[in-house]
């Protein structure tokens, strides 16, 4: 029984530490190529907006952090370490979706004042991520309460509505190059990140249940 508990806890930790976000993050390369294409096509080399530089630098830092998280296994275990793994996965994953959506704003920056739409877009991504967190952390408990069931349902509804709103937003934003679909596709990327994060949240909940029952075995 103890060996089974050790195997289970090790499995959960490993799947949280390496939840396949890194291969997914390789989409950043495609996003960077699209950024370069937009800047070249619009001849914006002398006026690249600050958010493009920030996204590029932030993505590089996240990539390095995630790489070391996957490649370097900590000998000491703690719940705080697991939470740090989860936080890195969340930030890396949704940064990819936001980066793709920002291609639209990069295209339109010289044509419209889009600050309100941009803030709405970021708010919808954050709301969708919060909803999937509520759903994931309340869906895999062995003993469910009315509160956890309500949180699971509410989180699922919030996440679906917010993700759907991102996709719908893509068809109502102003455009001159027919690039509004970048926001729509970023909504699809948000949904893909959700699928990866649900797996992570499941392992996190099951790990806590195992520790509660057997104590820390790894």
């Amino acid at each position: 029984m103890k060996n089974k508990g050790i195997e289970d806890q090790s499995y959960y930790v490993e799947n949280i530490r390496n939840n396949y976000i890194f291969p997914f993050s390789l989409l950043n390369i495609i996003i960077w190529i699209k950024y370069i294409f937009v800047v070249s096509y619009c001849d914006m080399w002398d006026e690249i907006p600050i958010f493009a530089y920030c996204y590029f630098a932030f993505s590089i830092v996240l990539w390095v952090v995630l790489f070391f998280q996957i490649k370097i296994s900590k000998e000491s275990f703690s719940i705080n370490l697991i939470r740090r793994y989860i936080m890195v996965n969340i930030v890396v994953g949704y940064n990819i979706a936001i980066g793709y959506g920002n291609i639209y704003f990069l295209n339109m920056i010289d044509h419209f004042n889009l600050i309100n739409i941009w803030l709405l877009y970021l708010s919808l991504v954050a709301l969708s991520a919060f909803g999937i967190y509520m759903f994931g952390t309340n869906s895999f408990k062995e003993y469910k309460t009315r509160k956890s069931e309500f949180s699971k349902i509410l989180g699922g509804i919030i996440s679906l509505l917010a993700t759907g709103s991102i996709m719908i937003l893509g068809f109502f934003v102003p455009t001159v190059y027919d690039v509004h679909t970048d926001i729509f596709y970023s909504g699809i990327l948000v949904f893909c990140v959700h699928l990866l994060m649900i797996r992570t949240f499941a392992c996190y909940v099951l790990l806590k249940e195992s520790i509660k029952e057997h104590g820390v075995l790894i």
Side-chain angles (χ1 to χ4, degrees):
M1 179 65 72
K2 184 177 180 179
N3 289 336
K4 179 65 163 61
I6 294 173
E7 290 177 3
D8 287 344
Q9 291 186 15
S10 297
Y11 174 80
Y12 299 145
V13 170
E14 181 59 26
N15 277 275
I16 293 171
R17 188 172 68 89
N18 182 10
N19 76 337
Y20 302 109
I21 279 288
F22 186 76
F24 187 69
S25 71
L26 295 177
L27 283 172
N28 274 324
I29 297 175
I30 298 176
I31 295 173
W32 295 338
I33 292 173
K34 291 201 70 171
Y35 272 48
I36 293 172
F37 174 79
V38 171
V39 171
S40 300
Y41 182 79
C42 299
D43 194 21
M44 297 169 57
W45 288 107
D46 294 330
E47 49 186 26
I48 298 175
I50 189 66
F51 77 80
Y53 286 113
C54 291
Y55 172 74
F56 180 78
F58 190 57
S59 297
I60 291 293
V61 171
L62 289 178
W63 230 0
V64 172
V65 171
L66 185 62
F67 177 80
F68 281 106
Q69 173 175 301
I70 293 172
K71 296 299 181 181
I72 300 178
S73 179
K74 298 287 186 179
E75 294 182 0
S76 59
F77 166 84
S78 71
I79 287 295
N80 287 335
L81 177 64
I82 298 303
R83 289 171 180 163
R84 192 187 76 187
Y85 287 160
I86 293 174
M87 183 57 64
V88 170
N89 291 338
I90 289 173
V91 176
V92 171
Y94 294 107
N95 177 65
I96 298 167
I98 291 172
Y100 198 93
N102 277 340
I103 294 173
Y104 160 78
F105 297 100
L106 182 62
N107 265 298
M108 297 293 102
I109 197 168
D110 288 334
H111 300 278
F112 305 101
N113 183 357
L114 299 171
I115 184 64
N116 291 332
I117 295 176
W118 185 64
L119 292 175
L120 173 61
Y121 168 72
L122 294 181
S123 298
L124 288 172
V125 174
L127 186 62
S128 187
F130 175 72
I132 208 66
Y133 171 81
M134 288 181 61
F135 175 82
T137 54
N138 288 283
S139 295
F140 305 97
K141 294 181 177 179
E142 185 176 357
Y143 301 104
K144 295 183 176 65
T145 63
R146 287 186 178 180
K147 182 180 178 180
S148 64
E149 283 290 339
F150 175 77
S151 296
K152 179 184 74 172
I153 294 171
L154 179 62
I157 293 173
I158 290 174
S159 183
L160 287 174
L161 287 178
T163 305
S165 296
I166 294 170
M167 297 179 185
I168 293 172
L169 179 65
F171 294 101
F172 288 92
V173 292
T175 182
V176 294
Y177 297 128
D178 196 29
V179 295
H180 58 281
T181 52
D182 289 326
I183 293 183
F184 174 82
Y185 289 129
S186 78
I188 295 177
L189 290 177
V190 167
F191 182 75
C192 292
V193 177
H194 285 349
L195 297 180
L196 292 174
M197 292 313 303
I198 286 176
R199 180 173 177 269
T200 295
F201 292 139
C203 289
Y204 177 61
V205 171
L206 295 173
L207 175 64
K208 291 203 301 183
E209 294 279 349
S210 177
I211 290 175
K212 184 178 179 180
E213 182 178 354
H214 306 292
V216 177
L217 300 177
I218 56 177

